[in-house]
Amino acid sequence: MSEPYFSSLKCRECGRLYPKKAVHVCEYDFGPLEADYNYDRIKAVLTRKVIESRPNSMWRYRELLPIDGDPTVGLQVGFTPLVKANRLAKALGVDELYIKNDTVNYPTLSFKDRVVSVALSRAVELGMKTVACASTGNLANSVAANAAAAGLDSYVLIPADLEQSKVLNSLVYGTKVIGIQGAYDQVNRLCSEIAGKYGWGFVNVNLRPYYAEGSKTMGFEIVEQLGWEVPAHTVVCMASGSLLTKIYKAYQEFMKIGIIPEGKFTIHGAQATGCNPISAARKSGTDLIRPISKPNTIAKSLAIGTPADGYYAVKTMEQTGGFADDATDQEIIEGIKLLAETEGIFAETAGGVTVACAKKLIDAGKIPRNERIVLCITGHGLKTVEAVAEHIGKPRVIKPSLREFDALVEAELCEAAC
Ligand SMILES: *Cc1c(COP(=O)(O)O)cnc(C)c1O
Ligand SMILES: [Zn+2]
């Protein structure tokens, strides 16, 4: 048999190789394990033409994803629209802006469907019957839905105070939802203990090396949808920091296998002010991540106080010449409204974070106004309606009478004129 595309797991710190099992940390230095590939072999088969001939899903890049056989979970995930955002560009005062719109990802309306389809496809290959996760909401939704469709048993563990619609959006699939009285970090720690004891596949614990690679597909798609070009600037919101590092890896891999020429690009990070361990580190020029013990932000999907990939996210921004910023609750709401009113895209709070931080970085001159910019918008607004409900006005209610409608229009015209 010929050598596989996906060759092994490899420690990010010491480079030791590990078998492709449900393991995620190096025994020697506790470094995170990452998927490694036989790039020469991939280079020989994966061309633009081959990719373009495949169905519109994230699996069109499958040689660069960490599974052995054909994918079995989440076959429709990905290939979300890249929207040329002219009206938002004008509002932000930049020349060329795009939205990578994962609010319409399949099936659960966030970027997490990408990571889950890889993790669960691998879980099936490893013979697992029960899958689980520690989640700030979106991951729970995606594990619940994709496990249901794949006929896998699932448990999702979440902080008990999550948004109503995120909880509902997990329960409906018949998954076992466990609310933990504590912050995400405590949920995560408990999950590590459960994974050790029960042997289940926790997508972001013992399956994390597989899970994390799914994020690369957002970067692959951006490049392909820009006509095989890497954008000069990519702005990414950060929870654990994994997505940001994997978009970097995606751009690098496309260069490594010769799909695009070598070139410079910059990646910027965005967080909420109420939970900003990564952006705070980048802003103060250190790679030391100071944990946030009590996150306090409406961007609950990003509220990870001890971000697993925070260090690597800072390094990635540093290496590419990127910056970071953070956004207050008020700024997040304004970001959501600005995106909705200019582009007709309703993002969840994390999307508001990306828009608000992009605006700050542009205004500060850290993102030049005349270079191509892509904003990664990662989740749908219907998942976090509480955050905006009190800030977007109310419907004007009238009787079913033309006279009342006329009066309303007249009042509106007067209001606009006066
Ligand atoms: C999980 C998530 C992210 C990013 O997560 P990382 O842990 O940094 O990879 C971004 N946006 C949304 C909406 C998410 O749910
Ligand atoms: Zn190691």
Side-chain angles (χ1 to χ4, degrees):
M1 212 183 94
S2 58
E3 268 185 86
Y5 301 116
F6 167 39
S7 53
S8 58
L9 298 181
K10 186 175 174 183
C11 173
R12 269 195 89 139
E13 291 303 318
C14 69
R16 274 191 179 83
L17 299 181
Y18 285 81
K20 305 186 286 186
K21 303 236 177 81
V23 287
H24 67 298
V25 281
C26 176
E27 291 166 12
Y28 297 89
D29 51 22
F30 302 105
L33 303 186
E34 194 176 29
D36 196 24
Y37 300 85
N38 189 339
Y39 290 109
D40 287 336
R41 244 207 102 206
I42 296 172
K43 188 172 181 163
V45 297
L46 196 62
T47 61
R48 292 182 188 185
K49 233 189 168 135
V50 166
I51 293 170
E52 284 165 352
S53 72
R54 291 176 173 172
N56 287 343
S57 83
M58 59 174 256
W59 293 105
R60 60 210 265 121
Y61 316 102
R62 51 152 305 183
E63 287 84 352
L64 289 164
L65 293 170
I67 56 171
D68 292 331
D70 288 330
T72 53
V73 183
L75 302 188
Q76 320 291 331
V77 176
F79 221 75
T80 56
L82 182 76
V83 180
K84 179 110 196 290
N86 292 338
R87 283 170 43 77
L88 180 59
K90 193 156 176 235
L92 296 178
V94 298
D95 292 345
E96 197 183 353
L97 182 72
Y98 296 82
I99 300 296
K100 180 56 175 165
N101 185 8
D102 260 19
T103 70
V104 292
N105 209 351
Y106 179 91
T108 65
L109 309 180
S110 92
F111 116 86
K112 289 300 197 300
D113 291 322
R114 299 175 183 278
V115 288
V116 168
S117 58
V118 177
L120 297 198
S121 286
R122 187 61 188 155
V124 169
E125 287 186 344
L126 293 173
M128 293 171 151
K129 301 275 183 279
T130 302
V131 292
C133 68
S135 174
T136 55
N138 284 320
L139 185 58
N141 295 171
S142 188
V143 166
N146 283 293
L152 294 163
D153 206 12
S154 69
Y155 285 78
V156 304
L157 288 83
I158 53 175
D161 70 345
L162 279 195
E163 298 96 339
Q164 269 306 306
S165 39
K166 292 235 171 103
V167 177
L168 190 148
N169 237 310
S170 292
L171 287 168
V172 73
Y173 303 106
T175 185
K176 278 147 287 237
V177 179
I178 319 287
I180 307 295
Q181 293 161 335
Y184 174 81
D185 284 330
Q186 293 163 292
V187 179
N188 198 41
R189 214 166 305 132
L190 175 62
C191 285
S192 294
E193 292 174 5
I194 299 172
K197 178 161 180 188
Y198 287 77
W200 296 340
F202 273 83
V203 300
N204 55 343
V205 183
N206 51 353
L207 295 174
R208 192 171 177 87
Y210 309 102
Y211 155 100
E213 289 287 287
S215 291
K216 291 192 307 192
T217 59
M218 198 168 192
F220 294 147
E221 290 173 17
I222 289 170
V223 171
E224 181 178 354
Q225 290 169 320
L226 283 174
W228 302 106
E229 283 183 27
V230 175
H233 300 272
T234 310
V235 186
V236 188
C237 55
M238 304 180 288
S240 72
S242 175
L243 173 62
L244 183 140
T245 66
K246 293 295 178 174
I247 286 179
Y248 172 83
K249 189 176 181 190
Y251 295 169
Q252 287 285 337
E253 283 183 338
F254 266 4
M255 291 176 189
K256 195 180 295 192
I257 64 168
I259 282 204
I260 51 171
E262 298 278 335
K264 200 183 124 36
F265 59 84
T266 302
I267 301 186
H268 307 274
Q271 288 203 297
T273 307
C275 185
N276 65 350
I278 311 177
S279 56
R282 178 67 191 122
K283 281 208 272 190
S284 55
T286 165
D287 56 28
L288 206 77
I289 306 290
R290 283 232 217 109
I292 307 287
S293 56
K294 288 198 168 58
N296 180 15
T297 166
I298 56 169
K300 293 179 194 281
S301 57
L302 303 179
I304 297 185
T306 311
D309 292 291
Y311 168 82
Y312 298 105
V314 169
K315 284 288 167 206
T316 300
M317 289 185 265
E318 220 174 72
Q319 266 173 34
T320 63
F323 297 95
D325 216 324
D326 47 64
T328 64
D329 286 354
Q330 182 63 37
E331 290 166 335
I332 294 168
I333 291 164
E334 281 162 19
I336 293 173
K337 287 168 72 173
L338 181 63
L339 179 61
E341 289 172 7
T342 54
E343 298 297 336
I345 295 171
F346 183 19
E348 73 154 79
T349 44
V353 167
T354 307
V355 173
C357 291
K359 178 172 170 25
K360 286 180 157 182
L361 293 171
I362 291 162
D363 290 344
K366 290 178 170 158
I367 299 180
R369 296 181 186 275
N370 61 350
E371 293 180 10
R372 185 184 273 171
I373 307 165
V374 172
L375 308 186
C376 295
I377 301 299
T378 47
H380 201 287
L382 288 174
K383 292 179 174 229
T384 59
V385 285
E386 298 96 320
V388 291
E390 301 301 317
H391 305 273
I392 49 177
K394 294 256 181 303
R396 275 147 288 192
V397 179
I398 58 171
K399 300 225 169 61
S401 118
L402 184 57
R403 188 153 355 116
E404 283 213 16
F405 186 76
D406 289 342
L408 187 139
V409 171
E410 214 164 290
E412 200 122 297
L413 283 177
C414 174
E415 207 173 288
C418 319

